[in-house]
């Protein structure tokens, strides 16, 4: 773990020492090397449980894919932000890069933590850099409102989790993930026990977010700069799913009745947020609601607590992380040229940017889960495990899949096909930087088709 963590901390210091001319190229090269080294985590056999075990941190088959995704995303965020941050004053550029690196440090420590309290502290620590990125570098005046929503939704869910963890500590005598799985399960008899159960999960369901506690996400996405949207969609939402998977071991055996309302909210949310996507005019808001829909499927897969459900949830989290980040990058390339996120004002762009249309096509197909992409693999595994749990879920998941296909094609056809608006007279051509950025998002997704066991998780 330290072979990645120490270079990442050193990279944060490097951001303040290199000359301004070499700032972006140096941090990009350094973070790319860290990302490549992190791939070595994937070489370990997945059945062996914990590996790279230190005093406070370790990796296993659940955290490894998420750790690699975190490291992979930093160079991509630096690549994506270069165009609109480089005209700013020197201190702001350095601060922006430092915030991105600090996010990576907190996320590595969160995903690698073997103590639940350390995970909780890092889970909360990610709030600070994200909040500063949204409120300082956001695009419009609404960014302060979005930051407030983001902060208070997350904090309101997290405080009950802290109380629940302290109760768990007093009852079991340990909060180490290595030993918690062997401690006897707490019986859920009284109403206080049931509140404790809800307290353990509510923070993660808000973070994912579950439909009903999702209002902070579209606001945060729309107002955040490109790097903020990328890290939020690709990794920060996955903290919720990861935390739920870790806590589910402690909460075994679950009373079925307690998880019913959450599963119903998750499945109903897939249809509702998909329907909202169909009538969106704002491109970033549409992609944000699409994230809520996909994470609803992940939440349902985790809550039914079967090995298939867990596996499908992990596969879909990794695949969705790369896909939604790619879609936000594409939306940003449109925004940098047309200065509008409205779908009707930036349509027919295939005529001007044909290569970008190819990236749009691949990303839209990945979003609607085209075979043989990992997105389909994750969705199918979750849908089958839900069907096995209760056959009526097929109505909700099937309708959700159809709506997802409909809005994904709607986005592609609206942005790329049809006549060009007369307001678009001259646009800058697409740059090799943007093509590299899209390739580094979508090539890993395509390569995972060849070796999906890397992200299968516990049932590998």
């Amino acid at each position: 773990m330290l072979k990645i963590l120490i270079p990442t901390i050193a990279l944060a210091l490097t951001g303040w020492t290199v000359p301004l001319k070499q700032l972006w190229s140096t941090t990009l090269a350094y973070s790319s090397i860290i990302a490549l080294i992190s791939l070595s985590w994937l070489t370990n056999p997945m059945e062996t449980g914990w590996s790279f075990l230190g005093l406070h941190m370790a990796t296993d088959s659940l955290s490894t894919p998420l750790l690699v995704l975190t490291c992979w995303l930093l160079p991509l965020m630096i690549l994506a932000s270069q165009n609109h941050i480089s005209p700013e004053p020197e201190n702001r550029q350095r601060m922006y890069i430092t915030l991105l690196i600090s996010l990576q440090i907190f996320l590595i420590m969160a995903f690698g933590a073997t103590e639940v309290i350390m995970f909780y502290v890092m889970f909360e620590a990610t709030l600070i850099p994200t909040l500063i990125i949204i409120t300082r570098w956001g695009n419009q005046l609404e960014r302060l409102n979005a930051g407030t929503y983001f902060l208070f939704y997350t904090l309101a869910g997290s405080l009950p989790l802290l109380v629940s963890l302290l109760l768990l500590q007093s009852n079991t005598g340990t909060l180490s993930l290595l030993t918690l799985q062997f401690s006897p399960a707490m019986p859920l008899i009284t109403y206080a026990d049931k509140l404790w159960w809800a307290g353990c999960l509510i923070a993660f369901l808000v973070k994912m977010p579950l439909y009903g506690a999702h209002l902070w996400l579209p606001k945060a996405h729309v107002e955040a700069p490109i790097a903020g949207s990328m890290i939020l969609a690709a990794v920060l939402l996955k903290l919720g799913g990861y935390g739920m998977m870790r806590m589910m071991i402690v909460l075994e055996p679950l009373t079925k009745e307690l998880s019913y309302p959450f599963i119903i909210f998750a499945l109903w949310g897939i249809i509702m947020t998909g329907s909202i996507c169909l009538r969106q005019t704002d491109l970033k808001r549409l992609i944000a609601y699409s994230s809520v829909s996909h994470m609803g499927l992940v939440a349902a897969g985790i809550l039914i607590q079967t090995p298939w459900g867990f596996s499908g949830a992990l596969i879909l989290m990794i695949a969705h992380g790369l896909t939604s980040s790619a879609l936000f990058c594409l939306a940003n390339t449109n925004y940098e040229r047309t200065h509008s996120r409205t779908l009707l004002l930036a349509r027919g762009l295939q005529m001007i940017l044909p290569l970008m249309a190819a990236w749009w096509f691949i990303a839209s197909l990945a979003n609607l889960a085209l075979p043989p992409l990992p997105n389909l693999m994750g969705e199918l595994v979750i849908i089958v495990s839900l069907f096995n749990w209760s056959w009526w879920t097929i109505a909700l998941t099937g309708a959700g899949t159809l709506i997802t296909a409909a809005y994904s094609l709607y986005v592609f056809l609206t942005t790329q096909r049809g006549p060009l608006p007369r307001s678009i007279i001259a646009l800058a051509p697409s740059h090799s930087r943007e093509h590299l950025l899209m390739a580094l998002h979508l090539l890993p997704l395509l390569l995972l088709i060849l070796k999906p066991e890397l992200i299968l998780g516990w049932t590998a």
Side-chain angles (χ1 to χ4, degrees):
M1 290 297 292
L2 292 177
K3 70 179 178 188
I4 299 292
L5 197 57
I6 292 169
T8 312
I9 295 166
L11 175 56
L13 301 173
T14 308
W16 291 94
T17 52
V18 294
L20 182 62
K21 278 187 179 179
Q22 292 147 24
L23 176 65
W24 291 92
S25 53
T26 308
T27 49
L28 176 62
Y30 202 151
S31 59
S32 304
I33 293 166
I34 292 171
L36 289 172
I37 295 170
S38 75
L39 295 175
S40 65
W41 280 330
L42 293 169
T43 56
N44 270 18
M46 290 299 175
E47 297 87 5
T48 54
W50 297 93
S51 51
F52 297 107
L53 195 58
L55 280 175
H56 303 291
M57 292 199 290
T59 66
D60 71 343
S61 52
L62 171 59
S63 59
T64 301
L66 291 162
L67 279 164
V68 174
L69 179 65
T70 305
C71 295
W72 188 256
L73 218 74
L74 180 61
L76 303 190
M77 288 192 292
I78 292 170
L79 261 181
S81 306
Q82 199 168 337
N83 191 40
H84 76 279
I85 299 292
S86 48
E88 293 206 358
E90 179 180 342
N91 276 351
R92 283 191 202 160
Q93 290 185 48
R94 293 187 191 277
M95 191 66 209
Y96 186 82
I97 288 174
T98 307
L99 286 169
L100 296 182
I101 297 163
S102 67
L103 253 177
Q104 173 160 321
I105 294 167
F106 292 146
L107 284 164
I108 289 172
M109 291 172 82
F111 287 130
T114 53
E115 287 283 332
V116 183
I117 283 288
M118 180 178 167
F119 168 72
Y120 176 83
V121 170
M122 292 306 152
F123 178 80
E124 292 302 311
T126 55
L127 273 177
I128 301 161
T130 319
L131 191 67
I132 297 170
I133 287 169
I134 292 172
T135 52
R136 173 63 195 82
W137 281 276
N139 292 323
Q140 294 152 331
L141 287 173
E142 281 288 308
R143 62 182 186 260
L144 296 175
N145 189 12
T148 311
Y149 264 71
F150 171 62
L151 182 67
F152 282 98
Y153 262 88
T154 314
L155 279 183
S158 300
L159 289 174
L161 175 63
L162 180 60
V163 176
S164 302
L165 290 179
L166 295 175
L167 271 170
L168 181 64
Q169 163 76 35
S170 67
N171 283 339
T172 59
T174 179
L175 277 181
S176 169
L177 288 170
L178 305 172
T179 53
L180 261 181
Q181 54 192 330
F182 304 117
S183 58
M186 287 175 68
L188 299 175
I189 302 160
T190 63
Y191 279 113
D193 291 337
K194 287 166 185 168
L195 279 174
W196 169 81
W197 180 88
C200 281
L201 288 190
I202 225 90
F204 303 126
L205 289 168
V206 169
K207 192 77 172 179
M208 283 188 76
L210 185 73
Y211 179 72
H214 69 287
L215 289 176
W216 62 271
L217 185 73
K219 282 179 178 289
H221 268 311
V222 167
E223 301 307 324
I226 176 60
S229 286
M230 284 169 70
I231 194 79
L232 198 57
V235 188
L236 291 179
L237 301 190
K238 290 14 174 213
L239 267 175
Y242 174 79
M244 273 176 73
M245 285 185 180
R246 288 291 188 215
M247 290 309 290
M248 279 297 175
I249 307 166
V250 183
L251 301 175
E252 283 275 6
L254 250 182
T255 49
K256 286 189 298 180
E257 290 76 14
L258 277 181
S259 57
Y260 276 169
F262 295 112
I263 295 173
I264 290 163
F265 266 115
L267 293 174
W268 184 238
I270 296 170
I271 292 179
M272 290 305 291
T273 47
S275 308
I276 291 168
C277 285
L278 282 172
R279 56 183 294 278
Q280 275 304 323
T281 53
D282 186 313
L283 186 53
K284 276 186 95 171
R285 193 177 286 270
L286 191 151
I287 301 166
Y289 273 112
S290 145
S291 289
V292 180
S293 174
H294 283 100
M295 294 311 284
L297 202 55
V298 170
I302 295 169
L303 284 166
I304 56 169
Q305 285 186 286
T306 60
W308 268 53
F310 270 42
S311 261
L314 183 59
I315 295 165
L316 189 53
M317 281 199 291
I318 301 297
H320 171 262
L322 289 165
T323 308
S324 62
S325 182
L327 283 167
F328 276 115
C329 288
L330 286 165
N332 183 61
T333 57
N334 281 10
Y335 181 74
E336 283 180 357
R337 287 168 174 77
T338 61
H339 302 289
S340 169
R341 294 190 313 268
T342 309
L343 284 166
L344 293 174
L345 294 180
R347 61 184 195 275
L349 292 176
Q350 187 180 359
M351 295 283 288
I352 303 178
L353 307 167
L355 269 176
M356 278 322 229
W359 292 123
W360 267 105
F361 186 59
I362 299 169
S364 303
L365 290 181
N367 197 49
L368 66 81
L370 183 86
L373 291 169
N375 304 62
L376 178 86
M377 185 178 165
E379 285 190 22
L380 270 185
V381 169
I382 293 173
I383 289 169
V384 169
S385 57
L386 279 167
F387 182 74
N388 189 38
W389 175 74
S390 172
W391 60 267
W392 61 262
T393 56
I394 197 71
L396 293 169
T397 50
T401 308
L402 282 174
I403 295 169
T404 304
Y407 70 70
S408 297
L409 290 172
Y410 161 69
V411 167
F412 176 71
L413 293 175
T414 312
T415 53
Q416 302 305 309
R417 312 293 293 191
L420 264 173
R422 291 184 181 179
S423 56
I424 296 179
I425 301 163
L427 290 187
S430 53
H431 307 295
S432 51
R433 174 183 62 85
E434 292 163 343
H435 292 302
L436 175 65
L437 178 62
M438 295 319 304
L440 290 175
H441 272 109
L442 297 172
L443 284 179
L445 199 65
L446 297 168
L447 289 172
L448 280 172
I449 301 166
L450 305 175
K451 202 168 171 59
E453 62 267 27
L454 292 178
I455 54 168
L456 263 174
W458 291 341
T459 55

